[in-house]
Amino acid sequence: MAQELTGAEIVIKALVDQGVDTIFGYPGGAVLPIYDALFQQNKIRHILVRHEQGAVHAAEGYARSTGKPGVVLVTSGPGATNAVTGLTDALMDSIPIVCLTGQVATHLIGSDAFQECDTVGITRHCTKHNWLVKSPQELTRVMHEAFYVATHGRPGPVVIDIPKDVQFQKGEYTGPQNVVHRTYRPKVKGDIEKIKQAVDLIANAKKPVFYTGGGIINSGTVASQLLREFVRLTGYPITSTLMGLGAYPASDKQWLGMLGMHGTFEANNAMHDCDVLINIGARFDDRVTGRLDAFAPHSKKIHVDIDASSINKNVRVDIGIIGDCAHVLEDMLRIWKSKARRPDKDALSAWWKQIEAWRARKSLSFKTNDDIIKPQQAIQRLYELSKHRETYITTEVGQHQMWAAQHFPFEQPNRWMTSGGLGTMGYGFPAAIGVQIAHPDALVIDIAGEASIQMCIQELSTAVQFMLPVKIFIINNEYMGMVRQWQELLHEGRYSHSYSDSLPDFVKLAEAYGATGIRASKPSELDDAIKRMIEVPGPVILDCVVDKFENCYPMIPSGAAHNEMILGDDAEGATVSEEGKMLV
Amino acid sequence: MKKDETIERHTIAVLVDNEAGVLARVIGLFSGRGYNIESLTVAEVDQAEHTSRITIVTVGTPMVIEQIKAQLDRLVPVHRVMDLTVEANSVEREMALVKVAGTGERRVEALRLADAFRARVIDTTHTSFIFEVTGAPTKIDAFIGLMRPLGLVDVSRTGVVAIARGPEAM
C-alpha cells in the first residue's frame, strides 16, 4: 500500500524495510533532511565516522563479516569525493555497499554551487551502478533497486545521489516486494553440460589443484561447506587467493596455503605443474598468475565465476562456467556422486608426494632471536594467543598484510577482511570498526603497519565514542616495508621516501584519543603485551616494534613464473627482469 | 598457449534502458578499459518502453571482442548485447551529408558522380551542394574520396547502424 512521505522519510523507511540496522556516515548541508529523519527514529543506528573514506571501509568490514550489504550516508561534494577510494575498493573486491550521497538542490545542479560535484559522473567508474534521483516519485524504486543491484550477481558498491529538495518533497513509498528490476537478472545456475564436462575433467586429473577465491566467501557459508565437501571427496590439494582465505580450513592437510606473489612454495609449484586447474570464484588476478605465458602451462583450466567478463579476461580457460559458486558446487557434487566418480588413486598419491617435497622446503620459515621481534613471529604469537576466541582479522596494505595472510591461519569464512584488489592503505582500521559493530562480542584485530595506520587513524575517535574494543596491532618497522622491499629488488636499495620519519609515539597517541597504548620491543615482552591488548576493555593500540629489515618471502618477482620463486633463505642478490620492472 | 592476435572488426548492437548516463557508461567502459570505438550511434527505438539501441563498431583481438561483449552485458541498464558480426547475418548502413563547393566543370562532375552513387541533393546554392548519401561505410568512404578533388568542404557521418536479417527481433 502506497503512502506519502518526504524523500528523507522514504530513504529511512526503505533502509528499514531492507533490513538495515546500522549505517556509517558523516553529516553535511546536503544531507541534513535525511539526518533529521534519522534523529526522529530508533530502528537504525548511525555510526559517526571521522572521514568519509572511513565510513565506506567500515561498511565494507560490516558487509564482509556478515554477508549483508553495508550502508553509507555522506554529504555532497567533498563527502562524496572522500568516499571514492572506499567505493573503488569495494568494486575491486566485490563488496556490496549502498552509498547514499546528498546533492545540491535540483535547480542548482550544474551551477557550481557550494559543495556541488558531479557525483554520478565521478562515481560511475567506481560503482557497479549509480543513480541521480531527480524526483521523490523515483526514490522508492531506486532505493530498493540499489539493494538488489548491490547484492545480486557479482556484488559491488552502488551510489544513490539525492538532491536536497528531493529529500524535502513528498512522494509515494512502496515496499521492496513490488520492485522488479527491468534489466538486471544475473545468472546463478551454471550450464549443466559444462558442469558435467568439468566433473569428467576433474575426475580424470592426474595432478589437479583447486584454486579458489573471494567468490566462495561472497556466495555465502553454504558455498564454503560445499567446497569443503567436494575437496575432501576428491582428496585433491587446494590453494586460495588472498580474498578467499577461510573458505577452506587452514588446518586441513589438503590445504596448501595461499598462492600468488607471496604464496607458499607448494601452492605455486602445484599451480605451475598441475594438469587440471579448478578455479572457483577467483579471477586470475596478476598477483596470482605472475607471468601469464608461463602460468599453469600444462593444465586444462576450469573457471567458475558469476561474472561472465571474468572468464577468459586474463587467462584463456577450457571450461568457463557462469554461475554462483554455491549453485555450481552443488551441481558438481551431485554429478560426482551420481556417477560414482573416483579420483585416480595412484596418480594422486604421486602428486601428493611431489607436493610434500615442495612443502618440506618450509617456505614460510624465518629465524628468530632474543633481541628483536620478527614480524612473522609477532603474527604467529597473535594467532596462538587469540585462536581460542571468536577472532576477526582486518589488515592494512603492505608487508604486514602478506605476513598476516601467511602466518595467521583461518578456519572459517568471513573472518578475514583485507583490501585485495585496490590495495588501500588505511582500509584495515575502519573495516575493523565495521566488523566490531556487527559482532560486538568478538575479538576484532587490525593487523597494521606504522605507515598504513596513519592513513585512517582519525577513526580512533569513532572507536572511543562507540566503545568499540577494536585492537590495532602495529607491525612497526619504521618503513613502508613493501615499498622498501621493491626498492631493494628494483632500484639497488635506493630508499626513496620509504622511511617512516617523524612517527608519532603510538602509545601516547592512543592515550590522547582516550584509548589504551601498549608497546612491545623485545621478544620477551611480546606475549604479555598481546595478552594485555586482548584483555584491556576498549580500543587498544599495540605498537609492536619489529626487525626493520625483514622482507616478505617467499616471493614471485614481477614478470616471473610460479616456479621461479625467491625463497627467504636465498633472497640475497635476487633481481627482477627488465620486463618485470615495468609491472607493479 | 598461443594467443590469437588477429585483429577483427565487429559490429555490436546493444539494447539499453534509456536512462540518464547510459551512453556515458558505455563510452566510459571503452575508454576506461582501452577498447577502440570506430563508430557509435545511439537513439531511442521504443518510446513506450524507453529503450535505446546503441550500435558500436569496434576492432580488437577475439579475446578483446569477447571481453567487450561481456563487459557491456554486465552493465546494469543493458537488456541485450548482440554481436551482429558473428551471431547473425546482418545489414549495415551509414548515412552522410557531404558538402561540396565549386563552380563550372567540377560542379557538373560532382553532380554526375553523386547520381552514380544515388546520392541526393538536399541543399544547393550557386556555388555548393549538400549531398545525402546512404550505404555501407566503404561506399561512403569511396564517395567522399571522389568528392575531395571536386571541392569537398565538409562531411557529417552518422556512424553505422545495423540490424540482423530475417524475421526475428534482437
Side-chain angles (χ1 to χ4, degrees):
Chain A
M1 205 171 58
Q3 47 184 139
E4 283 264 307
L5 298 171
T6 68
E9 289 164 345
I10 289 173
V11 167
I12 301 297
K13 185 114 177 64
L15 291 177
V16 171
D17 285 352
Q18 288 289 343
V20 174
D21 52 20
T22 309
I23 64 177
F24 302 88
Y26 202 102
V31 276
L32 283 178
I34 296 175
Y35 269 87
D36 194 50
L38 260 180
F39 190 80
Q40 300 180 49
Q41 56 84 47
N42 53 16
K43 288 183 177 148
I44 294 173
R45 185 180 184 202
H46 177 269
I47 305 299
L48 177 69
V49 294
R50 300 302 187 265
H51 187 292
E52 290 86 351
Q53 182 187 347
V56 187
H57 292 327
E60 286 184 271
Y62 180 94
R64 191 80 178 157
S65 66
T66 59
K68 298 198 303 188
V71 182
V72 175
L73 174 60
V74 297
T75 193
S76 62
T81 57
N82 278 345
V84 164
T85 298
L87 292 169
T88 313
D89 191 271
L91 185 70
M92 291 288 270
D93 285 345
S94 310
I95 313 290
I97 298 290
V98 176
C99 177
L100 307 163
T101 57
Q103 181 55 279
V104 300
T106 46
H107 69 278
L108 291 173
I109 290 176
S111 71
D112 297 329
F114 178 64
Q115 292 195 329
E116 182 188 356
C117 74
D118 176 8
T119 300
V120 286
I122 290 168
T123 61
R124 191 171 289 131
H125 302 275
C126 60
T127 54
K128 186 172 168 185
H129 196 60
N130 62 13
W131 296 262
L132 170 62
V133 183
K134 285 188 167 165
S135 100
Q137 303 305 337
E138 300 167 29
L139 193 51
T140 180
R141 173 183 61 80
V142 171
M143 284 294 297
H144 296 311
E145 269 186 24
F147 277 88
Y148 171 81
V149 170
T151 55
H152 286 72
R154 180 175 177 177
V158 298
V159 162
I160 312 172
D161 198 27
I162 312 173
K164 194 170 180 181
D165 52 338
V166 174
Q167 298 171 34
F168 277 120
Q169 289 158 9
K170 289 207 162 181
E172 271 186 13
Y173 178 79
T174 44
Q177 62 281 2
N178 301 327
V179 175
V180 180
H181 201 277
R182 268 169 60 84
T183 49
Y184 191 63
R185 287 191 195 80
K187 211 173 135 199
V188 292
K189 290 287 277 180
D191 181 320
I192 204 75
E193 281 311 311
K194 285 188 174 172
I195 295 175
K196 280 181 188 161
Q197 289 169 24
V199 170
D200 281 343
L201 198 55
I202 294 169
N204 292 320
K206 310 272 182 231
K207 295 193 282 183
V209 65
F210 281 95
Y211 148 46
T212 63
I216 303 269
I217 314 274
N218 275 333
S219 179
T221 45
V222 176
S224 255
Q225 285 159 12
L226 292 167
L227 175 73
R228 289 163 188 222
E229 191 184 342
F230 192 40
V231 171
R232 281 174 187 149
L233 211 55
T234 58
Y236 293 174
I238 174 170
T239 177
S240 149
T241 66
L242 181 73
M243 297 307 292
L245 296 178
Y248 194 84
S251 59
D252 192 90
K253 61 183 191 322
Q254 284 167 254
W255 173 246
L256 303 185
M258 181 175 78
L259 83 167
M261 187 171 272
H262 292 288
T264 65
F265 190 66
E266 53 270 33
N268 285 332
N269 275 293
M271 288 292 283
H272 187 270
D273 283 10
C274 72
D275 70 340
V276 174
L277 188 159
I278 310 142
N279 173 346
I280 307 177
R283 61 182 176 89
F284 294 109
D285 177 82
D286 58 64
R287 296 297 95 163
V288 157
T289 60
R291 203 173 93 212
L292 275 175
D293 60 3
F295 173 72
H298 316 295
S299 67
K300 292 269 185 200
K301 300 176 185 71
I302 297 163
H303 187 187
V304 180
D305 203 299
I306 199 157
D307 179 359
S309 76
S310 283
I311 292 171
N312 292 330
K313 180 174 66 179
N314 300 333
V315 171
R316 250 222 183 262
V317 296
D318 299 279
I319 302 176
I321 299 167
I322 303 161
D324 175 71
C325 294
H327 285 87
V328 175
L329 276 165
E330 197 178 8
D331 285 338
M332 280 183 169
L333 263 168
R334 189 170 42 75
I335 292 164
W336 181 279
K337 286 176 183 165
S338 72
K339 289 190 172 177
R341 304 309 302 244
R342 295 274 178 277
D344 180 336
K345 277 252 161 59
D346 293 342
L348 194 58
S349 81
W351 180 228
W352 270 113
K353 211 174 147 209
Q354 170 65 68
I355 290 170
E356 291 307 332
W358 288 323
R359 199 184 310 222
R361 283 298 303 266
K362 297 193 186 307
S363 61
L364 298 180
S365 61
F366 57 94
K367 291 189 186 77
T368 55
N369 62 56
D370 292 341
D371 302 323
I372 187 85
I373 301 169
K374 290 286 179 176
Q376 302 94 319
Q377 177 188 16
I379 288 164
Q380 285 188 351
R381 292 314 301 158
L382 182 68
Y383 169 70
E384 289 301 330
L385 296 169
S386 65
K387 65 180 178 188
H388 54 288
R389 294 169 187 265
E390 185 194 351
T391 306
Y392 291 79
I393 299 290
T394 70
T395 75
E396 311 289 334
V397 169
Q399 285 182 325
H400 69 273
Q401 176 190 30
M402 293 297 110
W403 280 318
Q406 292 172 340
H407 297 280
F408 201 108
F410 293 92
E411 299 296 310
Q412 292 172 57
N414 305 95
R415 295 299 182 92
W416 163 249
M417 270 57 57
T418 194
S419 172
L422 194 63
T424 312
M425 293 169 73
Y427 165 89
F429 180 39
I433 286 177
V435 175
Q436 189 80 73
I437 290 284
H439 309 274
D441 300 322
L443 174 62
V444 183
I445 306 168
D446 170 31
I447 298 179
E450 85 292 332
S452 281
I453 191 60
Q454 293 189 83
M455 287 215 183
C456 273
I457 191 68
Q458 75 285 345
E459 301 307 330
L460 199 44
S461 193
T462 308
V464 170
Q465 181 188 344
F466 293 93
M467 294 182 284
L468 303 170
V470 172
K471 314 299 176 188
I472 303 172
F473 189 71
I474 301 178
I475 302 289
N476 185 347
N477 62 359
E478 293 182 24
Y479 277 99
M480 295 156 214
M482 196 58 95
V483 174
R484 191 207 57 210
Q485 183 167 343
W486 280 58
Q487 286 172 336
E488 286 172 17
L489 211 55
L490 265 66
H491 301 287
E492 287 87 42
R494 291 184 295 279
Y495 297 158
S496 183
H497 303 276
S498 55
Y499 180 65
S500 294
D501 213 326
S502 307
L503 281 174
D505 178 330
F506 285 109
V507 173
K508 285 188 186 156
L509 183 70
E511 286 162 1
Y513 274 105
T516 306
I518 305 171
R519 180 168 296 118
S521 308
K522 288 199 177 334
S524 57
E525 300 166 359
L526 186 58
D527 277 21
D528 283 347
I530 293 172
K531 282 183 206 156
R532 224 186 113 212
M533 174 188 87
I534 294 171
E535 279 153 21
V536 169
V540 179
I541 292 182
L542 198 172
D543 182 19
C544 188
V545 180
V546 300
D547 186 343
K548 288 185 184 33
F549 297 103
E550 188 73 17
N551 277 342
C552 188
Y553 293 109
M555 179 179 188
I556 303 175
S558 40
H562 276 169
N563 60 349
E564 299 170 339
M565 291 199 87
I566 307 172
L567 292 165
D569 43 18
D570 55 28
E572 199 74 29
T575 53
V576 170
S577 67
E578 284 305 309
E579 263 184 5
K581 284 185 184 175
M582 305 299 165
L583 308 171
V584 286
Chain B
M1 184 168 45
K2 197 158 155 42
K3 265 194 243 163
D4 190 353
E5 297 294 345
T6 51
I7 301 288
E8 297 176 354
R9 178 180 179 278
H10 283 240
T11 304
I12 297 167
V14 191
L15 199 62
V16 298
D17 249 16
N18 187 15
E19 61 174 45
V22 66
L23 186 60
R25 256 175 243 287
V26 170
I27 293 169
L29 183 112
F30 277 74
S31 62
R33 292 185 184 267
Y35 306 142
N36 299 297
I37 298 181
E38 279 204 346
S39 104
L40 184 145
T41 67
V42 57
E44 189 168 69
V45 288
D46 190 330
Q47 223 173 3
E49 286 287 312
H50 293 291
T51 50
S52 289
R53 181 165 170 138
I54 301 174
T55 310
I56 304 165
V57 180
T58 184
V59 291
T61 61
M63 205 155 159
V64 166
I65 299 282
E66 196 187 335
Q67 261 297 297
I68 290 172
K69 287 185 276 182
Q71 293 287 351
L72 285 168
D73 201 38
R74 76 179 186 144
L75 292 177
V76 169
V78 167
H79 285 268
R80 172 140 160 65
V81 177
M82 190 172 185
D83 186 341
L84 292 167
T85 306
V86 293
E87 282 180 61
N89 185 359
S90 64
V91 284
E92 290 188 2
R93 286 293 179 270
E94 184 175 7
M95 200 258 275
L97 301 178
V98 180
K99 188 184 285 186
V100 180
T103 52
E105 194 48 42
R106 290 205 307 174
R107 185 171 157 89
V108 176
E109 179 64 2
L111 204 56
R112 203 182 60 75
L113 285 171
D115 192 45
F117 274 77
R118 292 184 202 164
R120 292 199 302 144
V121 176
I122 56 170
D123 179 70
T124 182
T125 68
H126 291 300
T127 55
S128 70
F129 289 120
I130 297 172
F131 297 113
E132 175 199 307
V133 59
T134 306
T138 47
K139 173 183 163 183
I140 295 181
D141 290 344
F143 183 70
I144 291 167
L146 287 169
M147 288 298 125
R148 192 158 279 125
L150 301 176
L152 179 82
V153 289
D154 223 353
V155 177
S156 177
R157 297 174 72 148
T158 57
V160 171
V161 291
I163 203 161
R165 293 179 193 270
E168 291 84 18
M170 180 177 164

